[in-house]
Amino acid sequence: MRAVVTGGAGFLGSHLCDLLIEKGWQVLCLDNLVTGSEDNVAHLLSNPRFEMIRHDVTRPIAVEGPVQAVFHFACPASPVDYLRLPIETLEVGSLGTRNTLELAQAKGARHLLASTSECYGDPEVSPQPESYWGHVNPIGPRSVYDEAKRFSEALTMAYHRARGVDTRIVRIFNTYGPRMRLNDGRVLPNFVYQALTGQALTVYGDGRQTRSFCYVSDLIDGIYRLFESDHHEPVNIGNPREMTILEFAEMVLKFAGSASGIRFEPLPTDDPKRRCPDIAKAKRLLGWEPRVALEEGLPPTIEFFRRVVKVRQG
Ligand code: UDP
Protein backbone atom coordinates (compact mmCIF):
# COMPACT_ATOMS: atom_id res chain seq x y z
CA MET A 1 0.00 0.00 0.00
CA ARG A 2 1.39 3.38 -1.03
CA ALA A 3 0.42 6.80 0.28
CA VAL A 4 1.23 10.28 -0.97
CA VAL A 5 1.50 12.87 1.82
CA THR A 6 1.60 16.50 0.70
CA GLY A 7 3.21 18.72 3.30
CA GLY A 8 4.86 15.57 4.64
CA ALA A 9 7.86 17.52 5.95
CA GLY A 10 5.66 19.79 8.07
CA PHE A 11 4.77 19.43 11.74
CA LEU A 12 1.63 17.31 11.30
CA GLY A 13 2.60 15.81 7.93
CA SER A 14 5.83 14.36 9.33
CA HIS A 15 4.05 12.76 12.29
CA LEU A 16 1.55 11.29 9.83
CA CYS A 17 4.44 9.90 7.73
CA ASP A 18 5.80 8.24 10.89
CA LEU A 19 2.48 6.57 11.63
CA LEU A 20 2.04 5.39 8.02
CA ILE A 21 5.54 3.90 7.98
CA GLU A 22 4.81 2.20 11.31
CA LYS A 23 1.63 0.72 9.80
CA GLY A 24 3.60 -0.73 6.88
CA TRP A 25 2.78 1.79 4.15
CA GLN A 26 5.15 3.01 1.47
CA VAL A 27 5.18 6.79 1.73
CA LEU A 28 5.89 9.43 -0.89
CA CYS A 29 6.28 12.78 0.82
CA LEU A 30 5.82 15.92 -1.29
CA ASP A 31 6.86 19.25 0.20
CA ASN A 32 8.20 22.53 -1.15
CA LEU A 33 9.75 23.25 2.27
CA VAL A 34 8.25 26.74 2.47
CA THR A 35 7.17 26.10 6.05
CA GLY A 36 8.22 22.45 6.41
CA SER A 37 11.74 21.22 7.09
CA GLU A 38 13.79 18.22 5.98
CA ASP A 39 14.85 17.85 9.62
CA ASN A 40 11.34 16.59 10.39
CA VAL A 41 11.77 13.56 8.12
CA ALA A 42 15.57 13.12 8.34
CA HIS A 43 15.08 9.97 10.43
CA LEU A 44 12.95 8.42 7.65
CA LEU A 45 15.25 9.11 4.70
CA SER A 46 17.19 5.85 5.07
CA ASN A 47 13.97 3.80 5.16
CA PRO A 48 13.43 2.07 1.78
CA ARG A 49 9.65 2.57 2.15
CA PHE A 50 10.02 6.36 2.42
CA GLU A 51 10.70 8.82 -0.39
CA MET A 52 10.74 12.60 -0.29
CA ILE A 53 10.38 14.82 -3.36
CA ARG A 54 10.59 18.58 -3.29
CA HIS A 55 7.46 19.68 -5.11
CA ASP A 56 5.04 22.59 -5.02
CA VAL A 57 1.58 21.00 -5.13
CA THR A 58 0.04 24.05 -6.82
CA ARG A 59 1.74 22.56 -9.90
CA PRO A 60 0.32 19.31 -11.36
CA ILE A 61 1.40 16.19 -9.48
CA ALA A 62 2.72 13.33 -11.62
CA VAL A 63 3.33 10.13 -9.66
CA GLU A 64 4.36 6.88 -11.31
CA GLY A 65 2.93 3.59 -10.10
CA PRO A 66 0.00 2.73 -7.89
CA VAL A 67 -1.23 4.96 -5.07
CA GLN A 68 -3.97 3.94 -2.62
CA ALA A 69 -4.06 7.05 -0.42
CA VAL A 70 -3.53 10.80 -0.82
CA PHE A 71 -3.24 12.87 2.36
CA HIS A 72 -3.34 16.60 1.58
CA PHE A 73 -1.52 18.36 4.42
CA ALA A 74 0.42 21.01 2.46
CA CYS A 75 -0.47 24.54 3.58
CA PRO A 76 1.00 27.31 5.72
CA ALA A 77 -0.97 26.81 8.94
CA SER A 78 0.16 29.37 11.48
CA PRO A 79 -1.36 32.86 11.29
CA VAL A 80 2.10 34.44 11.03
CA ASP A 81 2.94 32.17 8.07
CA TYR A 82 -0.28 32.59 6.13
CA LEU A 83 -0.32 36.35 6.66
CA ARG A 84 3.22 36.40 5.19
CA LEU A 85 2.18 34.06 2.32
CA PRO A 86 -1.42 35.13 1.52
CA ILE A 87 -1.52 34.32 -2.22
CA GLU A 88 0.43 31.09 -1.79
CA THR A 89 -2.04 30.01 0.92
CA LEU A 90 -5.04 30.65 -1.34
CA GLU A 91 -3.31 28.83 -4.18
CA VAL A 92 -2.43 25.73 -2.18
CA GLY A 93 -6.02 25.57 -0.92
CA SER A 94 -7.45 25.89 -4.43
CA LEU A 95 -4.97 24.68 -7.08
CA GLY A 96 -3.15 22.41 -4.62
CA THR A 97 -6.34 20.77 -3.42
CA ARG A 98 -7.53 20.30 -7.00
CA ASN A 99 -4.22 18.68 -7.96
CA THR A 100 -4.37 16.24 -5.05
CA LEU A 101 -7.99 15.35 -5.84
CA GLU A 102 -7.05 14.84 -9.52
CA LEU A 103 -4.25 12.53 -8.41
CA ALA A 104 -6.64 10.55 -6.19
CA GLN A 105 -9.17 10.29 -9.01
CA ALA A 106 -6.56 9.17 -11.56
CA LYS A 107 -5.17 6.50 -9.20
CA GLY A 108 -8.50 5.40 -7.68
CA ALA A 109 -7.02 6.38 -4.30
CA ARG A 110 -8.75 7.51 -1.12
CA HIS A 111 -8.21 11.23 -0.42
CA LEU A 112 -8.04 12.85 3.02
CA LEU A 113 -8.10 16.64 3.31
CA ALA A 114 -6.52 18.34 6.32
CA SER A 115 -9.04 21.07 7.03
CA THR A 116 -9.32 23.28 10.08
CA SER A 117 -11.34 24.71 12.93
CA GLU A 118 -10.76 28.06 11.18
CA CYS A 119 -13.70 27.06 8.96
CA TYR A 120 -15.78 28.17 11.96
CA GLY A 121 -14.09 31.61 11.98
CA ASP A 122 -14.86 33.61 15.15
CA PRO A 123 -17.62 31.22 16.29
CA GLU A 124 -20.91 32.32 17.81
CA VAL A 125 -21.46 28.75 19.01
CA SER A 126 -19.22 26.93 21.48
CA PRO A 127 -18.17 24.17 21.47
CA GLN A 128 -18.30 23.96 17.68
CA PRO A 129 -20.08 20.95 16.14
CA GLU A 130 -19.45 20.02 12.49
CA SER A 131 -23.00 21.16 11.67
CA TYR A 132 -22.11 24.80 12.51
CA TRP A 133 -21.56 26.76 9.28
CA GLY A 134 -19.17 29.25 10.77
CA HIS A 135 -18.69 32.98 11.13
CA VAL A 136 -15.85 33.99 8.82
CA ASN A 137 -14.90 37.47 7.68
CA PRO A 138 -14.40 36.78 3.95
CA ILE A 139 -12.09 39.77 3.37
CA GLY A 140 -10.17 40.03 6.67
CA PRO A 141 -6.46 39.15 6.83
CA ARG A 142 -7.19 35.62 8.13
CA SER A 143 -9.58 34.96 5.25
CA VAL A 144 -6.72 33.74 3.04
CA TYR A 145 -6.51 30.66 5.25
CA ASP A 146 -10.14 30.30 6.33
CA GLU A 147 -11.59 30.68 2.84
CA ALA A 148 -8.86 28.56 1.24
CA LYS A 149 -9.80 25.71 3.58
CA ARG A 150 -13.54 26.29 3.13
CA PHE A 151 -12.98 26.18 -0.64
CA SER A 152 -10.87 23.02 -0.19
CA GLU A 153 -13.78 21.40 1.65
CA ALA A 154 -16.27 22.47 -1.04
CA LEU A 155 -14.00 21.14 -3.79
CA THR A 156 -13.47 17.87 -1.93
CA MET A 157 -17.22 17.33 -1.55
CA ALA A 158 -17.70 18.21 -5.24
CA TYR A 159 -15.11 15.63 -6.35
CA HIS A 160 -16.84 13.12 -4.09
CA ARG A 161 -20.36 13.86 -5.32
CA ALA A 162 -19.68 14.56 -9.00
CA ARG A 163 -16.76 12.22 -9.65
CA GLY A 164 -17.12 9.55 -7.01
CA VAL A 165 -13.73 10.17 -5.37
CA ASP A 166 -13.50 8.42 -2.00
CA THR A 167 -12.85 11.43 0.24
CA ARG A 168 -12.45 12.27 3.95
CA ILE A 169 -12.26 15.70 5.63
CA VAL A 170 -10.73 16.28 9.06
CA ARG A 171 -11.19 19.63 10.83
CA ILE A 172 -8.06 19.99 12.91
CA PHE A 173 -8.10 22.12 16.07
CA ASN A 174 -5.01 23.62 17.75
CA THR A 175 -2.37 20.90 18.00
CA TYR A 176 1.03 20.92 19.69
CA GLY A 177 4.04 18.69 20.17
CA PRO A 178 7.63 18.14 19.07
CA ARG A 179 8.59 19.44 15.55
CA MET A 180 6.53 22.62 15.77
CA ARG A 181 8.69 25.39 14.34
CA LEU A 182 10.27 27.60 16.98
CA ASN A 183 9.54 30.76 15.01
CA ASP A 184 6.17 29.88 13.47
CA GLY A 185 4.55 32.60 15.58
CA ARG A 186 1.96 30.38 17.21
CA VAL A 187 1.18 30.69 20.85
CA LEU A 188 2.91 27.54 22.09
CA PRO A 189 6.31 28.01 20.38
CA ASN A 190 6.26 31.71 21.32
CA PHE A 191 5.45 31.09 24.97
CA VAL A 192 7.87 28.18 25.37
CA TYR A 193 10.71 30.07 23.67
CA GLN A 194 10.04 33.12 25.82
CA ALA A 195 9.84 31.01 28.98
CA LEU A 196 13.13 29.24 28.18
CA THR A 197 15.01 32.44 27.34
CA GLY A 198 13.80 34.57 30.23
CA GLN A 199 11.59 36.90 28.19
CA ALA A 200 8.09 37.95 29.23
CA LEU A 201 5.35 35.86 27.59
CA THR A 202 3.50 37.94 24.98
CA VAL A 203 -0.23 37.55 25.69
CA TYR A 204 -2.29 39.18 22.93
CA GLY A 205 -5.35 41.18 23.96
CA ASP A 206 -6.55 40.59 27.52
CA GLY A 207 -5.76 36.87 27.28
CA ARG A 208 -9.38 35.89 27.88
CA GLN A 209 -9.75 34.36 24.39
CA THR A 210 -9.79 30.57 24.57
CA ARG A 211 -8.15 27.69 22.73
CA SER A 212 -8.12 23.91 23.23
CA PHE A 213 -4.81 22.12 22.73
CA CYS A 214 -4.50 18.58 21.37
CA TYR A 215 -1.30 16.54 21.60
CA VAL A 216 0.00 15.52 18.19
CA SER A 217 -0.12 11.73 18.78
CA ASP A 218 -3.83 11.95 19.66
CA LEU A 219 -4.52 14.00 16.56
CA ILE A 220 -2.69 11.63 14.19
CA ASP A 221 -4.49 8.64 15.75
CA GLY A 222 -7.85 10.35 15.13
CA ILE A 223 -6.92 11.18 11.55
CA TYR A 224 -5.92 7.61 10.78
CA ARG A 225 -9.16 6.31 12.25
CA LEU A 226 -11.09 8.76 10.06
CA PHE A 227 -9.11 7.62 7.03
CA GLU A 228 -10.12 4.02 7.77
CA SER A 229 -13.79 4.93 8.31
CA ASP A 230 -16.34 5.33 5.55
CA HIS A 231 -17.46 8.84 6.53
CA HIS A 232 -17.23 11.55 3.86
CA GLU A 233 -18.39 14.64 5.74
CA PRO A 234 -16.09 16.72 7.98
CA VAL A 235 -15.12 15.39 11.41
CA ASN A 236 -13.59 17.52 14.19
CA ILE A 237 -10.43 16.18 15.78
CA GLY A 238 -9.16 18.16 18.76
CA ASN A 239 -9.00 18.21 22.52
CA PRO A 240 -12.15 19.64 24.11
CA ARG A 241 -10.36 20.99 27.22
CA GLU A 242 -10.81 24.72 26.70
CA MET A 243 -8.70 27.33 28.51
CA THR A 244 -7.94 31.01 28.28
CA ILE A 245 -4.64 32.09 26.76
CA LEU A 246 -3.75 33.66 30.10
CA GLU A 247 -4.27 30.31 31.87
CA PHE A 248 -2.19 28.67 29.17
CA ALA A 249 0.64 31.19 29.70
CA GLU A 250 0.65 30.39 33.41
CA MET A 251 0.81 26.67 32.68
CA VAL A 252 3.77 27.09 30.33
CA LEU A 253 5.63 29.15 32.96
CA LYS A 254 4.98 26.46 35.56
CA PHE A 255 6.01 23.50 33.37
CA ALA A 256 9.11 25.27 32.03
CA GLY A 257 10.08 26.23 35.59
CA SER A 258 10.41 29.80 34.35
CA ALA A 259 10.25 33.11 36.18
CA SER A 260 9.52 35.08 32.96
CA GLY A 261 6.55 37.33 33.55
CA ILE A 262 3.68 38.16 31.22
CA ARG A 263 3.44 41.15 28.87
CA PHE A 264 0.23 42.20 27.11
CA GLU A 265 0.30 43.06 23.39
CA PRO A 266 -2.45 44.05 20.93
CA LEU A 267 -4.87 41.39 19.75
CA PRO A 268 -4.48 40.52 16.02
CA THR A 269 -7.39 41.38 13.69
CA ASP A 270 -10.28 38.85 13.71
CA ASP A 271 -8.60 36.68 16.37
CA PRO A 272 -11.30 34.11 17.31
CA LYS A 273 -12.57 34.68 20.87
CA ARG A 274 -13.40 31.06 21.57
CA ARG A 275 -12.40 27.76 20.11
CA CYS A 276 -13.34 24.35 21.42
CA PRO A 277 -14.20 21.22 19.43
CA ASP A 278 -17.42 19.29 19.90
CA ILE A 279 -16.03 15.77 19.47
CA ALA A 280 -19.28 13.81 19.83
CA LYS A 281 -19.11 12.79 16.17
CA ALA A 282 -15.50 11.54 16.39
CA LYS A 283 -16.42 9.57 19.52
CA ARG A 284 -19.47 8.03 17.89
CA LEU A 285 -18.06 7.30 14.43
CA LEU A 286 -14.42 6.59 15.20
CA GLY A 287 -14.42 5.55 18.85
CA TRP A 288 -11.85 8.31 19.28
CA GLU A 289 -11.13 10.70 22.07
CA PRO A 290 -7.86 12.31 23.17
CA ARG A 291 -5.79 10.46 25.77
CA VAL A 292 -2.85 12.79 26.41
CA ALA A 293 -3.58 15.53 28.95
CA LEU A 294 -1.82 18.88 28.61
CA GLU A 295 0.10 18.03 31.80
CA GLU A 296 1.56 14.98 29.96
CA GLY A 297 2.08 16.56 26.55
CA LEU A 298 3.72 19.80 27.65
CA PRO A 299 6.91 18.30 29.22
CA PRO A 300 8.14 16.44 26.07
CA THR A 301 7.21 19.48 23.95
CA ILE A 302 9.17 21.83 26.22
CA GLU A 303 12.11 19.36 26.16
CA PHE A 304 12.02 19.39 22.34
CA PHE A 305 12.19 23.19 22.29
CA ARG A 306 14.92 23.19 24.95
CA ARG A 307 17.10 21.15 22.57
CA VAL A 308 16.25 23.41 19.60
CA VAL A 309 17.14 26.54 21.60
CA LYS A 310 20.44 24.95 22.75
CA VAL A 311 21.42 24.10 19.16
CA ARG A 312 20.61 27.69 18.08
CA GLN A 313 22.60 29.18 20.92
CA GLY A 314 25.46 26.66 20.72
N1 UDP B 1 -1.33 34.42 21.02
C1 UDP B 1 -0.80 35.11 22.10
N2 UDP B 1 0.56 35.34 22.12
C2 UDP B 1 1.40 34.89 21.16
C3 UDP B 1 0.85 34.17 20.06
C4 UDP B 1 -0.53 33.95 20.03
O1 UDP B 1 -1.51 35.54 23.03
O2 UDP B 1 2.61 35.13 21.26
C5 UDP B 1 -2.78 34.16 21.02
C6 UDP B 1 -3.48 34.52 19.72
O3 UDP B 1 -3.88 35.87 19.72
C7 UDP B 1 -4.66 33.56 19.74
C8 UDP B 1 -4.11 32.32 20.47
O4 UDP B 1 -2.97 32.77 21.18
O5 UDP B 1 -5.72 34.09 20.49
C9 UDP B 1 -3.71 31.20 19.53
O6 UDP B 1 -2.91 31.75 18.51
P1 UDP B 1 -2.12 30.89 17.45
O7 UDP B 1 -1.37 31.85 16.58
O8 UDP B 1 -1.34 29.83 18.11
O9 UDP B 1 -3.22 30.12 16.58
P2 UDP B 1 -4.75 30.35 16.21
O10 UDP B 1 -5.50 29.48 17.17
O11 UDP B 1 -5.12 31.80 16.39
O12 UDP B 1 -4.83 29.90 14.81
Side-chain angles (χ1 to χ4, degrees):
M1 297 288 273
R2 183 160 175 244
V4 171
V5 181
T6 76
F11 165 46
L12 298 182
S14 66
H15 283 282
L16 176 63
C17 288
D18 282 346
L19 183 79
L20 291 169
I21 290 287
E22 203 184 296
K23 297 226 178 244
W25 287 78
Q26 283 190 45
V27 176
L28 171 59
C29 159
L30 303 179
D31 205 301
N32 66 357
L33 301 178
V34 165
T35 58
S37 164
E38 251 169 340
D39 292 349
N40 290 337
V41 289
H43 61 289
L44 293 175
L45 291 174
S46 60
N47 189 315
R49 285 190 285 114
F50 181 81
E51 192 186 351
M52 149 116 199
I53 294 179
R54 205 165 166 161
H55 181 75
D56 176 351
V57 296
T58 64
R59 301 210 322 272
I61 306 168
V63 177
E64 303 227 327
V67 173
Q68 286 79 25
V70 177
F71 293 89
H72 182 30
F73 278 64
C75 191
S78 116
V80 167
D81 286 337
Y82 59 72
L83 296 176
R84 176 172 64 86
L85 301 163
I87 314 282
E88 292 82 348
T89 301
L90 283 160
E91 285 182 348
V92 75
S94 50
L95 302 174
T97 302
R98 185 193 63 185
N99 289 337
T100 62
L101 285 161
E102 287 286 333
L103 175 66
Q105 187 186 343
K107 301 287 184 184
R110 185 170 293 180
H111 183 280
L112 185 142
L113 169 70
S115 185
T116 169
S117 56
E118 281 283 326
C119 287
Y120 304 122
D122 186 8
E124 298 146 305
V125 172
S126 202
Q128 296 86 52
E130 291 86 349
S131 54
Y132 178 52
W133 288 355
H135 182 226
V136 172
N137 173 356
I139 55 160
R142 290 177 92 100
S143 68
V144 297
Y145 185 67
D146 302 11
E147 298 293 14
K149 288 293 189 184
R150 287 166 68 99
F151 180 85
S152 293
E153 288 197 3
L155 195 63
T156 299
M157 290 309 295
Y159 268 75
H160 173 64
R161 293 188 181 116
R163 301 203 185 162
V165 179
D166 185 18
T167 57
R168 308 284 183 278
I169 299 173
V170 57
R171 289 196 182 139
I172 299 171
F173 284 67
N174 294 65
T175 305
Y176 71 99
R179 300 189 199 151
M180 289 187 97
R181 225 174 65 230
L182 187 63
N183 60 350
D184 85 353
R186 278 191 275 206
V187 67
L188 185 133
N190 276 9
F191 282 1
V192 173
Y193 179 72
Q194 291 157 347
L196 295 178
T197 55
Q199 303 170 57
L201 273 56
T202 51
V203 169
Y204 300 162
D206 60 11
R208 281 193 300 173
Q209 71 273 31
T210 69
R211 293 294 186 274
S212 311
F213 298 94
C214 186
Y215 193 62
V216 64
S217 58
D218 278 336
L219 182 94
I220 299 298
D221 171 42
I223 288 174
Y224 196 74
R225 285 173 191 239
L226 174 62
F227 175 77
E228 287 188 309
S229 80
D230 55 7
H231 193 72
H232 302 292
E233 293 193 358
V235 178
N236 290 337
I237 299 285
N239 191 313
R241 176 174 169 194
E242 185 179 11
M243 63 175 62
T244 67
I245 291 302
L246 203 51
E247 284 166 345
F248 184 60
E250 275 149 15
M251 254 186 108
V252 170
L253 287 175
K254 181 174 143 206
F255 278 86
S258 168
S260 297
I262 284 172
R263 184 174 90 218
F264 290 92
E265 290 198 353
L267 191 67
T269 309
D270 293 340
D271 197 283
K273 284 181 275 305
R274 294 193 71 176
R275 190 182 288 145
C276 177
D278 179 332
I279 60 164
K281 194 171 174 183
K283 273 188 188 163
R284 182 167 40 85
L285 289 177
L286 314 176
W288 177 88
E289 63 183 318
R291 284 180 303 204
V292 182
L294 201 47
E295 287 77 2
E296 293 167 81
L298 267 182
T301 308
I302 292 172
E303 275 323 298
F304 166 79
F305 280 116
R306 217 186 274 282
R307 286 196 298 276
V308 173
V309 170
K310 233 185 227 159
V311 168
R312 294 244 168 143
Q313 289 174 339

